[in-house]
């Protein structure tokens, strides 16, 4: 006992250099108990660690050498030195806007995921261990919006286009929104896997090693650091440390922005309603559920844009939906809302999306007129989120979903390390099971049923998918159990590499691509539009590089009928005629959009959320949200005229004296044209042509090359790839004063007609 007390007295002299505050007391007891049992003297290197500004958390590592602490300091200094330079001789920033060199604030709290957080730096292969690592970082990033998160991957001998493409695939699959710094420099003391560097202003860092790190420990450490930062701030704000997605964190991977113009963006999961002849596809990175029939005709779409909001299908929000399950008795679709850590339920009859889990913290919708206006202007905060503290029982990035015989929902994460058993009726989590073997003990029969279905697929299809999914050594096909479904006489498989759905006839063995049609139901994609205040913050409005055509006119006030003639690229063809649901018209200044008689039928149809956004504002003075909600949706769609390679879009506006601008945006669904007598140019030229049509060169050579290699890896005829070509037209009017009649009292209004010719040929 005397020897033990002597060791404890020696240890206590060094502890104040390592910990402070309440965390010091908790960590001190942990160290005392550990060291006292082993009777190992405390290393003298702790003083060296403190002097170098690096404090180690002994919840995960026992001791550190001076060389290791210096390595951490060198790492932080190196990262900080790259902040104002996108690319240098020893580094390259990835997943960040290239022309924005000031992409970080010098001050504040930083969390750096450093080391080898992928299985192989040169091949950039991400296994299930990597999935768990990313989930920890993403959960912290979502809980603390003010925290700046960085990934640091060192020791990359080369940073080639192939490596960049693989990195894009990894970011798309894991949905990584924080920037990643690639470096060809080696940091020898950081070769033992991933670690987390938590620091304030890069002056003092705490290090957590990934091995056996509990997410609660890291969550608590970040909370303490941010609280200290807010205490020192002149204008402190309330700390929001919740297991919830805050409105400020709704970011998307910048490196994958080129891929989102494909028809599907990471089609992760699929389910079916066999009796109703309906399929439910999770277009995960487009944040929507697409409903179509057995022939591929789109019937409906759930989700408008990334977020967390209940409501009608057109206005509701999801954040990377994953697996789904159709409950025939209730005519409801249960959806895993992965990035929101939630379970949602879509009432297919009422067309309403609601949240099943979590139940606490879900506020009732504010139906006041002012709240509705603020929401339409984009100033409403996303309040329909969880507000509870971190709970180990809570859902954390769920992915797979199955129903047990006793009416429980079985929810599994991608690594198959956690199973949540949820009561279907109440939405409460009854139990959380940890460990792969224990998970299989409970739902192994259901998993093996789905695996047996996968084994009927061609081996080359499966191997192509396994390389890009979270594959388990114990059960290689388990990661794909939510990506396939038996439907009628076919087996459908989500191709997350080729961004498509593949179909296998179970009798004949014929392989084919599942063809999708009726794109008007999808409306105008959310990334085509921008909040009003951001669009017009700079002088000149839409004179940015993303506008395809700008035309200026000087006319008399009155009604102006506009006809836009769009020539699509000569080597492309429309997959189907442009429909009203894929068009957005908006006027600003002294002009207002009006509907012509022939357009009335199209005004009641389901259109994109962006068009609804402004239509509702235009009619705000005549109706309230309550009355508008009683308007029944029509399922018919009107096709706009198209002749050969020309698309015609009509618009009518009323103008008054002054300046105004009319913006017309549209989504053109195209694919490369096939010429019967022309020799095959090869996939490389096809991929390059699609990239040029989408104008990806404006994002830099890196983005263009990565996109081309991404298409080439899909192993398909690229002339079958459907992509969305954005169309943005700006028409600016300088309207003169009203002409007056002979009696000088009456005002004369004139009717004018203009044609705008737009060419998309590049």
């Amino acid at each position: 006992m005397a020897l033990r007390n002597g060791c404890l007295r020696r240890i206590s002299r060094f502890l104040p250099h390592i910990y402070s505050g309440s965390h010091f007391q908790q960590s001190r007891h942990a160290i005392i108990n550990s060291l006292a049992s082993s009777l190992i003297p405390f290393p003298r290197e702790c003083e060296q660690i403190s002097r170098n500004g690096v404090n180690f958390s002994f919840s995960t590592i026992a001791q550190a050498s001076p060389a290791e602490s210096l390595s951490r300091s060198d790492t932080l200094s190196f990262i900080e030195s790259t902040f104002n330079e996108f690319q240098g001789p020893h580094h390259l920033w990835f997943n960040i806007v290239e022309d924005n060199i000031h992409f970080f604030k010098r001050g504040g709290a930083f969390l750096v995921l450093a080391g080898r957080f992928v299985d192989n730096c040169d091949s950039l292969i991400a296994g299930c261990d990597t999935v768990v690592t990313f989930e920890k970082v993403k959960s912290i990033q979502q809980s603390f919006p003010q925290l700046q998160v960085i990934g640091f991957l060192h020791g990359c001998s080369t940073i080639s286009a192939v490596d960049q493409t693989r990195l894009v695939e990894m970011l798309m699959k894991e949905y990584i929104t924080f920037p990643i710094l690639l470096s060809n420099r080696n940091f020898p003391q950081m070769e033992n896997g991933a670690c987390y560097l938590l620091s304030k202003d890069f002056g003092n860092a705490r290090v957590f090693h990934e091995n056996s790190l509990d997410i609660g420990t890291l969550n608590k450490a970040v909370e303490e650091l941010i609280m200290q930062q807010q205490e020192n701030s002149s204008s402190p704000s309330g700390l929001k440390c919740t297991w919830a997605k805050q409105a400020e964190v709704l970011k998307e991977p910048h490196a994958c922005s080129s891929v989102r113009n494909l028809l599907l963006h990471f089609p992760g999961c699929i389910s079916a309603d066999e009796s109703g002849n309906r399929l439910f596809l999770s277009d995960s990175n487009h944040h929507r559920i697409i409903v179509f029939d057995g022939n591929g005709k789109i019937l409906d779409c759930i989700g408008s844009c990334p977020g967390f909001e209940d409501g009608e299908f057109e206005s509701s929000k999801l954040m990377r939906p994953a697996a789904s399950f159709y409950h025939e008795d209730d005519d409801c679709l249960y959806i895993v809302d992965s990035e929101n850590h939630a379970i949602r339920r879509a009432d297919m009859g009422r067309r309403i999306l609601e949240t099943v889990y979590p139940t606490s913290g879900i506020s009732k919708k504010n139906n006041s007129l002012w709240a509705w206006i603020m929401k339409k202007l984009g100033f409403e905060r996303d309040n329909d989120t969880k507000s509870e503290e971190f709970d180990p029982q809570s859902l954390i990035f769920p992915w797979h979903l199955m129903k047990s015989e006793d009416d429980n929902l079985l929810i599994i994460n991608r690594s198959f390390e956690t199973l949540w058993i949820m009561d279907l009726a109440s939405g409460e989590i009854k139990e959380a099971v940890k460990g792969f073997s224990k998970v299989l003990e409970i739902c192994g029969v259901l998993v093996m049923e789905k695996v047996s279905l996968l084994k009927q697929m061609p081996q080359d299809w499966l191997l192509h998918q396994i390389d890009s999914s979270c594959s388990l050594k114990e059960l290689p096909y388990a990661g794909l159990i939510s990506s396939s479904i038996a439907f009628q006489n076919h087996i459908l498989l989500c191709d997350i590499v080729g961004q498509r759905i593949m179909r296998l006839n179970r009798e004949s063995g014929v392989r084919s691509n599942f063809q999708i049609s009726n794109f008007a139901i999808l409306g105008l994609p959310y990334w085509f539009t921008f909040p009003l205040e951001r669009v017009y913050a700079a002088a000149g409005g839409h004179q940015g590089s993303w506008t395809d055509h700008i035309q200026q006119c000087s006319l008399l006030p009155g009604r102006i009928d506009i006809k836009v003639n769009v020539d699509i690229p000569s080597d492309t063809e429309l997959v189907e005629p442009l429909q009203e649901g894929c068009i957005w018209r908006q006027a600003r200044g002294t002009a207002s959009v009006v509907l012509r008689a022939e357009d009335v039928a199209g005004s009641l149809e389901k259109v994109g959320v962006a068009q609804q956004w402004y239509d509702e504002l235009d009619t705000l003075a005549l109706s309230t949200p309550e009355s508008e909600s009683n308007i029944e949706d029509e399922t018919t769609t009107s096709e706009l005229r198209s002749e050969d390679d020309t698309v015609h879009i009509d618009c009518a506006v009323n103008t008054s004296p002054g300046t105004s601008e009319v913006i017309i945006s549209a989504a053109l669904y195209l694919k490369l044209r096939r010429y019967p007598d022309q020799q095959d140019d090869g996939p490389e030229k096809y991929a390059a042509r699609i990239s040029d049509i989408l104008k990806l060169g404006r994002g830099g050579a890196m983005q263009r090359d990565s996109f081309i290699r991404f298409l080439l890896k899909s192993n398909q005829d690229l002339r079958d790839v459907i992509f969305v070509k954005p169309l943005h037209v700006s028409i600016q009017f300088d309207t003169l004063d009203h002409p007056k009649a002979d009696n000088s009292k009456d005002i004369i209004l004139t009717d004018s007609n203009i044609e705008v010719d737009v060419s998309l040929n590049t």
Side-chain angles (χ1 to χ4, degrees):
M1 179 63 68
L3 178 61
R4 175 175 298 184
N5 291 335
C7 291
L8 295 181
R9 283 194 298 270
R10 293 173 58 191
I11 292 171
S12 62
R13 292 189 293 112
F14 298 97
L15 290 176
H17 294 283
I18 305 176
Y19 298 98
S20 61
S22 60
H23 187 69
F24 157 69
Q25 296 293 339
Q26 299 172 5
S27 302
R28 176 180 179 178
H29 291 307
I31 299 173
I32 289 176
N33 293 335
S34 176
L35 294 180
S37 61
S38 59
L39 298 179
I40 298 177
F42 195 80
R44 296 183 57 85
E45 286 79 10
C46 286
E47 294 185 75
Q48 181 68 32
I49 294 173
S50 179
R51 285 200 299 268
N52 284 288
V54 181
N55 299 334
F56 284 88
S57 171
F58 281 83
S59 61
T60 53
I61 60 176
Q63 58 182 345
S65 65
E68 188 174 7
S69 63
L70 287 172
S71 176
R72 266 51 176 195
S73 299
D74 292 342
T75 301
L76 294 178
S77 300
F78 174 76
I79 294 175
E80 188 177 13
S81 68
T82 66
F83 272 11
N84 292 331
E85 190 176 12
F86 178 78
Q87 185 174 3
H90 301 293
H91 79 276
L92 171 67
W93 281 102
F94 208 78
N95 205 28
I96 206 164
V97 180
E98 185 172 349
D99 57 359
N100 182 16
I101 61 174
H102 301 287
F103 36 76
F104 286 117
K105 298 179 181 178
R106 290 286 180 176
F110 286 84
L111 177 65
V112 179
L113 172 60
R116 297 296 182 90
F117 52 83
V118 293
D119 293 346
N120 189 319
C121 181
D122 292 329
S123 62
L124 293 173
I125 299 174
C128 285
D129 292 339
T130 304
V131 173
V132 175
T133 300
F134 281 139
E135 287 178 353
K136 291 178 182 178
V137 178
K138 288 164 58 179
S139 64
I140 295 295
Q141 183 186 25
Q142 292 178 2
S143 299
F144 302 94
Q146 58 273 66
L147 181 69
Q148 300 186 71
V149 181
I150 301 171
F152 177 48
L153 188 60
H154 69 92
C156 297
S157 57
T158 59
I159 308 176
S160 63
V162 177
D163 294 331
Q164 295 167 13
T165 304
R166 289 170 177 166
L167 189 55
V168 168
E169 295 173 357
M170 185 180 70
L171 297 178
M172 180 179 64
K173 181 182 65 176
E174 307 301 335
Y175 204 76
I176 304 300
T177 61
F178 54 83
I180 294 180
L181 176 61
L182 304 178
S183 175
N184 53 15
R185 289 187 57 182
N186 289 313
F187 293 83
Q189 300 301 325
M190 300 175 61
E191 299 292 337
N192 298 324
C195 65
Y196 306 89
L197 306 179
L198 181 63
S199 68
K200 179 179 179 294
D201 302 331
F202 278 96
N204 187 32
R206 292 181 59 193
V207 180
F208 300 84
H209 276 244
E210 166 62 25
N211 295 334
S212 303
L213 174 65
D214 178 67
I215 183 63
T217 302
L218 187 59
N219 189 86
K220 181 175 178 60
V222 175
E223 180 180 355
E224 291 176 353
L225 179 64
I226 293 182
M227 289 186 67
Q228 293 176 5
Q229 179 183 351
Q230 290 182 342
E231 290 174 357
N232 298 330
S233 175
S234 58
S235 58
S237 59
L239 176 66
K240 292 185 178 180
C241 173
T242 65
W243 198 242
K245 174 168 291 303
Q246 306 295 339
E248 296 85 355
V249 191
L250 298 181
K251 303 176 183 179
E252 298 192 82
H254 174 74
C256 305
S257 58
S258 58
V259 183
R260 68 184 180 184
N261 280 326
L262 298 179
L263 174 60
L264 302 177
H265 189 193
F266 200 85
C269 305
I270 191 170
S271 62
D273 168 23
E274 187 102 21
S275 60
N277 191 30
R278 291 183 296 183
L279 290 163
F280 308 97
L281 174 68
S282 296
D283 191 7
S284 299
N285 287 5
H286 279 155
H287 315 286
R288 62 191 179 189
I289 303 289
I290 302 177
V291 185
F292 43 80
D293 62 16
N295 296 321
K297 181 181 179 180
I298 298 177
L299 305 175
D300 212 335
C301 183
I302 306 172
S304 60
C305 61
F308 192 8
E309 184 175 323
D310 293 341
E312 296 179 352
F313 286 177
E314 292 87 353
S315 60
S316 59
K317 299 177 182 179
L318 297 162
M319 195 69 178
R320 210 179 188 223
S324 60
F325 165 76
Y326 177 72
H327 196 283
E328 186 175 1
D329 295 339
D330 299 335
D331 192 22
C332 290
L333 183 71
Y334 288 85
I335 305 167
V336 173
D337 197 352
S338 178
E339 294 288 318
N340 282 325
H341 319 288
I343 301 297
R344 317 290 290 278
R345 178 173 55 218
D347 190 317
M348 303 306 297
R350 297 187 300 136
R351 302 187 69 256
I352 295 294
L353 180 69
E354 54 192 0
T355 301
V356 176
Y357 175 90
T359 55
S360 61
I362 302 297
S363 59
K364 292 185 178 180
K365 202 169 185 179
N366 190 345
N367 290 321
S368 67
L369 181 61
W370 178 248
W372 181 79
I373 295 175
M374 294 298 289
K375 172 187 174 183
K376 295 303 176 184
L377 291 176
F379 298 129
E380 180 192 53
R381 292 184 62 87
D382 218 346
N383 294 323
D384 293 343
T385 56
K386 295 167 279 185
S387 59
E388 61 207 40
E389 296 294 331
F390 172 77
D391 181 4
Q393 292 284 104
S394 301
L395 294 180
I396 305 176
F397 298 105
W399 192 261
H400 304 287
L401 178 65
M402 296 175 289
K403 180 179 175 294
S404 65
E405 295 180 354
D406 52 356
D407 283 339
N408 288 325
L409 291 180
L410 304 178
I411 308 162
I412 311 174
N413 63 356
R414 290 181 56 213
S415 62
F416 274 80
E417 288 296 325
T418 307
L419 164 68
W420 296 272
I421 303 176
M422 177 181 292
D423 182 73
L424 181 61
S426 64
E428 296 181 358
I429 294 181
K430 301 165 64 174
E431 183 182 1
V433 180
K434 304 287 186 178
F436 176 75
S437 59
K438 294 182 179 179
V439 170
L440 285 188
E441 288 180 6
I442 297 176
C443 56
V445 175
L446 295 175
V447 171
M448 293 308 299
E449 288 179 359
K450 292 181 173 289
V451 169
S452 63
L453 180 65
L454 286 166
K455 290 183 178 180
Q456 301 178 37
M457 305 293 288
Q459 288 295 315
D460 56 333
W461 282 10
L462 294 179
L463 292 176
H464 200 46
Q465 303 305 313
I466 289 176
D467 291 340
S468 300
S469 66
C470 180
S471 57
L472 301 168
K473 295 181 180 179
E474 300 88 347
L475 201 58
Y477 300 145
L480 301 174
I481 62 172
S482 299
S483 301
S484 63
I485 191 71
F487 185 73
Q488 296 174 354
N489 196 34
H490 296 87
I491 301 178
L492 303 180
L493 177 67
C494 296
D495 182 4
I496 59 178
V497 179
Q499 313 302 308
R500 57 181 173 170
I501 305 175
M502 298 184 293
R503 178 170 57 183
L504 174 70
N505 189 301
R506 305 177 78 170
E507 294 182 354
S508 63
V510 175
R511 312 180 188 185
S512 61
N513 291 337
F514 189 78
Q515 302 297 327
I516 303 176
S517 61
N518 196 25
F519 302 124
I521 299 297
L522 301 179
L524 194 73
Y526 67 89
W527 62 90
F528 278 26
T529 60
F530 305 91
L532 278 176
E533 297 301 324
R534 294 184 183 180
V535 170
Y536 302 112
H542 278 258
Q543 296 183 18
S545 59
W546 61 276
T547 305
D548 296 293
H549 183 85
I550 299 176
Q551 185 164 322
Q552 298 177 342
C553 302
S554 180
L555 298 172
L556 293 174
R559 180 189 177 96
I560 302 177
D561 289 321
I562 305 170
K563 180 180 179 181
V564 180
N565 306 313
V566 183
D567 289 334
I568 64 174
S570 57
D571 52 353
T572 65
E573 60 182 353
L574 285 170
V575 179
E576 62 183 28
L578 178 65
Q579 299 179 1
E580 278 291 340
C582 299
I583 302 174
W584 170 46
R585 303 175 181 88
Q586 172 60 19
R588 63 184 289 257
T590 60
S592 61
V593 176
V594 296
L595 295 177
R596 302 190 302 179
E598 54 265 38
D599 292 331
V600 174
S603 65
L604 294 179
E605 65 191 37
K606 289 184 288 184
V607 298
V609 66
Q611 182 68 58
Q612 289 183 348
W613 202 77
Y614 290 103
D615 288 346
E616 292 171 351
L617 281 180
D618 292 338
T619 57
L620 178 60
L622 302 177
S623 61
T624 62
E626 288 76 8
S627 63
E628 289 175 321
S629 63
N630 295 327
I631 299 178
E632 294 183 359
D633 291 324
E634 300 289 339
T635 58
T636 60
T637 57
S638 60
E639 296 181 356
L640 299 183
R641 294 170 296 158
S642 60
E643 300 173 359
D644 298 330
D645 298 331
T646 303
V647 177
H648 305 285
I649 303 175
D650 295 327
C651 180
V653 297
N654 284 334
T655 61
S656 300
T659 59
S660 59
E661 183 180 22
V662 176
I663 306 104
I664 300 176
S665 298
L668 305 176
Y669 289 88
L670 306 175
K671 66 179 181 179
L672 296 180
R673 186 186 298 272
R674 290 178 180 270
Y675 295 98
D677 300 331
Q678 185 178 9
Q679 187 177 1
D680 191 352
D681 290 336
E684 291 82 5
K685 289 188 177 180
Y686 294 144
R689 182 57 185 146
I690 295 175
S691 176
D692 293 339
I693 293 173
L694 296 177
K695 297 183 178 180
L696 298 182
R698 294 184 301 188
M702 179 191 304
Q703 186 184 51
R704 182 180 184 274
D705 293 343
S706 298
F707 179 73
I708 291 175
R709 291 186 177 275
F710 180 85
L711 290 179
L712 293 176
K713 193 175 180 180
S714 63
N715 291 336
Q716 61 177 315
D717 191 335
L718 297 182
R719 291 173 294 183
D720 294 330
V721 173
I722 299 175
F723 54 92
V724 187
K725 169 61 179 175
L727 171 67
H728 300 288
V729 178
S730 171
I731 309 170
Q732 301 170 0
F733 294 103
D734 183 9
T735 308
L736 306 177
D737 291 335
H738 289 284
K740 295 184 179 181
D742 294 337
N743 57 15
S744 300
K745 294 182 179 180
D746 297 332
I747 295 177
I748 299 176
L749 296 178
T750 61
D751 290 341
S752 305
N753 296 276
I754 64 170
E755 286 198 21
V756 179
D757 296 325
V758 181
S759 177
L760 298 180
N761 284 289
T762 56

